């Protein structure tokens, strides 16, 4: 196992946890249910899936991790913007 891949996976799991916490807090504060129809709820599901995939697929390479990183970055930026816009 490549040390750098392992470290990158660990960092991405921490990022995913942070994004999950932000989305969950936003949903609670704005009374958004997890009905899987609301875009924020769908995003939460997707971030959970990304986080789980980091554990379930030990054969990821750096290219795979970069794709996951980009998706998590988008989710983080999106929820940060939602928080800023809706105060």
């Amino acid at each position: 196992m490549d040390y750098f891949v392992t470290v990158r996976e660990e960092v991405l799991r921490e990022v995913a946890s942070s994004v999950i916490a932000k989305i969950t807090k936003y949903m609670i504060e704005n009374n958004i249910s997890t009905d899987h129809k609301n875009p924020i709820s769908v995003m939460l599901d997707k971030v959970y899936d990304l986080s789980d995939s980091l554990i379930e697929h030990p054969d990821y390479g750096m290219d795979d991790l970069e794709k996951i990183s980009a998706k998590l970055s988008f989710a983080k930026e999106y929820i940060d913007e939602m928080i800023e816009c809706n105060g």
Side-chain angles (χ1 to χ4, degrees):
M1 181 170 282
D2 185 345
Y3 171 77
F4 295 106
V5 170
T6 303
V7 169
R8 185 71 173 144
E9 287 174 342
E10 190 65 33
V11 168
L12 289 174
R13 281 194 289 272
E14 291 295 325
V15 170
S17 295
S18 173
V19 174
I20 288 168
K22 280 186 176 194
I23 295 171
T24 302
K25 181 179 177 193
Y26 179 82
M27 290 176 69
I28 290 168
E29 289 175 349
N30 291 282
N31 297 318
I32 299 172
S33 65
T34 55
D35 62 5
H36 309 293
K37 294 179 183 177
N38 185 294
I40 299 295
S41 180
V42 172
M43 183 186 299
L44 180 62
D45 289 341
K46 294 296 180 186
V47 174
Y48 267 119
D49 290 346
L50 289 170
S51 180
D52 290 346
S53 77
L54 291 166
I55 297 168
E56 296 168 357
H57 299 283
D59 57 341
Y60 277 154
M62 286 303 266
D63 290 341
D64 300 314
L65 298 178
E66 287 306 314
K67 291 175 187 173
I68 292 172
S69 177
K71 291 176 183 180
L72 290 173
S73 291
F74 171 79
K76 181 185 178 311
E77 289 173 15
Y78 185 81
I79 196 63
D80 285 344
E81 189 170 328
M82 293 299 296
I83 292 167
E84 185 178 320
C85 289
N86 295 310

